[in-house]
């Protein structure tokens, strides 16, 4: 089976209604795996797979479970290679929140990404909190998770500003990836010391 066929089967599985309410659908799972691929802290497969589903899905059999989990791991590796390449990162959805942001795939993708960040929140912000926060901003805005905070509700109220932020997501991902994964060239003396 080709990778494209595996992804089609994964998508059908993740988008089915049988999964737990808090399980991530395909687009949200893509965002989640993107965050895990960027994070400097490696999350064990078992942990992130269990978190993605919220509770054990009802697999038809062990073979289906193996296929779904193997495809998720392969998709994560594929996303990692995409991030490491020089090409602009492509999201599995349009860079547009549309008329109903809560129903848009992009919102789902951004929420999934933030779920991936929350899995290891401290690791994201430990080295360059300000830069990371700035680069995460378009995704945080897109997720709608922070709209009750004044600075976010101001952005959400301005459609043009929202659009300007949303289109920055692919370059923000590349910048985050480089920040979290590029070799650290600072002299040892400047590295933060952990007490």
């Amino acid at each position: 089976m080709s990778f494209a066929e595996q992804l089609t089967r994964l998508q059908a599985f993740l988008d089915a209604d049988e999964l737990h309410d808090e399980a991530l659908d395909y687009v949200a799972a893509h965002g989640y795996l993107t965050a895990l691929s960027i994070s400097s802290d490696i999350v064990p497969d078992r942990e992130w797979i269990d978190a993605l589903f919220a509770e054990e899905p009802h697999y038809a059999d062990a073979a289906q479970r193996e296929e779904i989990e193997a495809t998720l791991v392969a998709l994560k590796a594929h996303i990692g290679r995409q991030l490491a390449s020089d090409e602009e990162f492509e999201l599995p959805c349009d860079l547009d929140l549309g008329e109903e942001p809560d129903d848009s795939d992009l919102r789902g993708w951004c929420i999934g990404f933030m779920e991936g960040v929350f899995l290891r929140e401290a690791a994201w912000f430990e080295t360059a909190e300000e830069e990371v926060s700035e680069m995460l901003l378009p995704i945080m805005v897109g997720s709608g998770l922070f709209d009750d905070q004044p600075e976010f509700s101001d952005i959400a109220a301005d459609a043009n500003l929202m659009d300007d932020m949303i289109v920055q997501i692919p370059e923000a991902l590349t910048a985050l990836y480089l920040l979290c994964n590029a070799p650290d060239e600072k002299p040892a003396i400047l590295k933060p010391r952990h007490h």
Side-chain angles (χ1 to χ4, degrees):
M1 192 179 351
S2 73
F3 185 51
E5 288 168 322
Q6 286 176 295
L7 287 185
T8 303
R9 288 169 66 145
L10 176 67
Q11 188 164 358
F13 185 83
L14 293 179
D15 290 348
D17 292 336
E18 290 82 73
L19 292 182
H20 187 273
D21 287 347
E22 288 174 21
L24 301 178
D25 66 14
Y26 179 76
V27 171
H30 189 287
Y32 176 74
L33 295 176
T34 304
L36 294 177
S37 300
I38 290 173
S39 174
S40 56
D41 205 10
I42 306 293
V43 181
D45 290 349
R46 185 74 269 145
E47 183 186 339
W48 65 254
I49 289 171
D50 289 346
L52 185 152
F53 286 117
E55 68 174 29
E56 177 82 16
H58 302 293
Y59 293 107
D61 51 30
Q64 186 190 30
R65 175 191 182 130
E66 208 168 292
E67 179 194 325
I68 294 298
E69 293 187 355
T71 306
L72 281 166
V73 171
L75 178 58
K76 179 172 175 273
H78 174 75
I79 290 169
R81 286 192 298 276
Q82 253 188 310
L83 287 162
S85 78
D86 291 336
E87 291 154 35
E88 182 170 300
F89 189 78
E90 277 189 39
L91 276 69
C93 56
D94 293 332
L95 279 177
D96 182 9
L97 289 169
E99 296 298 307
E100 294 289 337
D102 286 343
D103 297 334
S104 72
D105 281 347
L106 181 61
R107 169 135 304 167
W109 187 92
C110 291
I111 289 172
F113 188 97
M114 293 312 300
E115 292 288 340
V117 171
F118 298 148
L119 214 51
R120 286 290 185 278
E121 201 166 350
W124 279 81
F125 298 103
E126 69 186 353
T127 46
E129 186 172 351
E130 212 165 291
E131 288 104 312
V132 169
S133 300
E134 208 170 293
M135 292 171 195
L136 279 176
L137 190 61
I139 299 167
M140 291 168 80
V141 166
S143 76
L145 295 172
F146 307 92
D147 284 357
D148 56 348
Q149 296 176 17
E151 62 272 31
F152 284 94
S153 56
D154 292 349
I155 296 170
D158 184 337
N160 291 334
L161 185 55
M162 280 287 281
D163 290 344
D164 287 349
M165 298 213 97
I166 296 303
V167 296
Q168 292 173 25
I169 290 176
E171 54 191 274
L173 292 172
T174 305
L176 278 166
Y177 182 80
L178 291 171
L179 185 71
C180 296
N181 295 280
D184 197 354
E185 287 159 19
K186 292 182 194 141
I189 197 157
L190 293 178
K191 285 198 178 150
R193 282 196 284 265
H194 297 291
H195 298 292

